[in-house]
Structures are given as C-alpha cells and as structure tokens.
Amino acid sequence: QGFYQLMLQLPQERLAIAVGAVASAELAVDLAVAYTKERTAFGKPISAFQNTRFTLAEVSTDVMAARTFLDHCVALHVDGKLDAATASRAKYWTTDVQCEVIDRCLQLFGGYGYMLEYPIARLYAGARVQKIYGGTNEIMKELISRTLGRRDARFAAMTTGGDRDDHLVELAAGKGGLVACALALLITTCLPMT
C-alpha cells in the first residue's frame, strides 16, 4: 500500500518542485535588477545599457509566464483536479525556465556571479538539480507524451454539442479568471460551431 500512496503524491511533489523553481527564478530577476542598478561600467549603471534592459525584460516575462502557469496548476491542485501530466508539465517546464533565467541573470553579474558570496551564484549552483529529482525532465516529457491525443473532457464538452457557450461561461467564471476568459475568447473565435 505504501507504493500506491507514494504514487498518489507524485503530482503534489512535482508541483512543490515547480513552486521552488518559480520562486528561485523570481529571486534571480530581483537580484539582477538590483545589481544592475548599482554596478557601473563606462561611467553609468549597467542597467542603462540596452542589452541589460532587454535581458531583464525577457527574463521577467519568462518568470511571469511561469508564475501564471504555476498559479493555474495550484488552483487545479486545490480543486483536486491536478493530473499527473499537468504536474509533469509544471515540473519540467518551470525547472527549465529556472535554469535559463538564473543563467541569464548570472551573466549580468559578470565575474561576481561565480563567487559564492553572491546569492546569484548559490541559486545557479542549486538550480541544475531541479531538473533531476522528482523525476528527470526527460521522464516528465515521456509521461506527458503518453497522454497526448486524449482530449480533455471539459475541452471536448466545450467544443461539441449545443451548450458550448454555457461551458465557456462556466470556465470563464471559474478559478481560471483572466486566462480562462482568454481561452474562452480564443475558442469562440477560432473553432467552428458544431
């Protein structure tokens, strides 16, 4: 019975890893923003350089997208609807984002980024293992791929049958909020009525 209980908790474990990944990536962006405002090169803060600003804009956008997906997954978990494939998506994608964001933020620190006295170096050192424990990211992709081709029952109900608009209103009014409203708009404008 122990193995069964362990398997039931895997989605929650993977969600917890995703929470840590997003929090770590957010911290890396905050540290990089603060550092680039105080560090100077050629007589001005490095945050004044276009490359730095573009990098910070890109990584902050990546983190915002990861946070949005994570919030969606947490809402599913709270409602008891987080499935193994979605938890696997959250784990693999957020840890990939974490590693990429931290790497790009560390680059803005230059040589200081490799000194363990700086939190960014410790974030970098600890990020890589996130892609391994809780199931490697390659295993997560394998688990996800096994579910592809199966349509989500809620989505199928929305796109077939005469009560599609009722389902869209339900979805938009639910915990999905703005994301669900955008999805509802996309579905109503892109999919033919059946």
Side-chain angles (χ1 to χ4, degrees):
Q1 184 109 301
F3 181 73
Y4 176 75
Q5 293 297 324
L6 177 68
M7 295 301 289
L8 282 178
Q9 298 305 317
L10 284 175
Q12 183 171 325
E13 176 191 21
R14 291 172 179 153
L15 185 60
I17 293 168
V19 168
V22 171
S24 184
E26 287 175 336
L27 178 58
V29 172
D30 291 345
L31 292 170
V33 167
Y35 179 79
T36 60
K37 286 181 179 178
E38 69 182 41
R39 177 74 171 148
T40 60
F42 305 108
K44 58 184 176 178
I46 60 174
S47 62
F49 295 104
Q50 186 180 51
N51 179 66
T52 301
R53 292 193 315 270
F54 282 11
T55 298
L56 291 172
E58 291 165 359
V59 295
S60 68
T61 302
D62 291 341
V63 169
M64 184 181 289
R67 167 62 76 171
T68 302
F69 180 51
L70 176 63
D71 289 347
H72 169 71
C73 291
V74 168
L76 289 174
H77 178 64
V78 168
D79 289 343
K81 297 177 182 177
L82 180 66
D83 60 44
T86 305
S88 296
R89 284 181 177 98
K91 189 271 182 190
Y92 109 76
W93 187 67
T94 59
T95 58
D96 277 358
V97 168
Q98 173 193 17
C99 288
E100 177 68 20
V101 165
I102 291 173
D103 181 66
R104 294 186 71 197
C105 288
L106 181 140
Q107 187 69 28
L108 297 174
F109 281 75
Y112 289 127
Y114 295 96
M115 301 173 78
L116 289 176
E117 297 83 42
Y118 284 81
I120 192 73
R122 294 190 300 275
L123 287 173
Y124 183 79
R128 185 61 178 89
V129 73
Q130 293 273 80
K131 296 167 119 183
I132 298 170
Y133 61 68
T136 66
N137 284 2
E138 292 74 21
I139 295 295
M140 297 301 101
K141 293 173 188 178
E142 179 63 29
L143 295 173
I144 295 163
S145 72
R146 291 177 185 176
T147 68
L148 298 178
R150 299 182 212 160
R151 294 185 71 180
D152 178 51
R154 280 189 344 173
F155 182 77
M158 289 188 304
T159 58
T160 59
D163 59 350
R164 178 172 92 164
D165 291 335
D166 292 338
H167 289 287
L168 293 173
V169 169
E170 278 179 34
L171 180 63
K175 292 197 187 272
L178 184 59
V179 173
C181 290
L183 176 62
L185 178 63
L186 177 68
I187 290 169
T188 57
T189 56
C190 296
L191 295 177
M193 291 296 287
T194 54

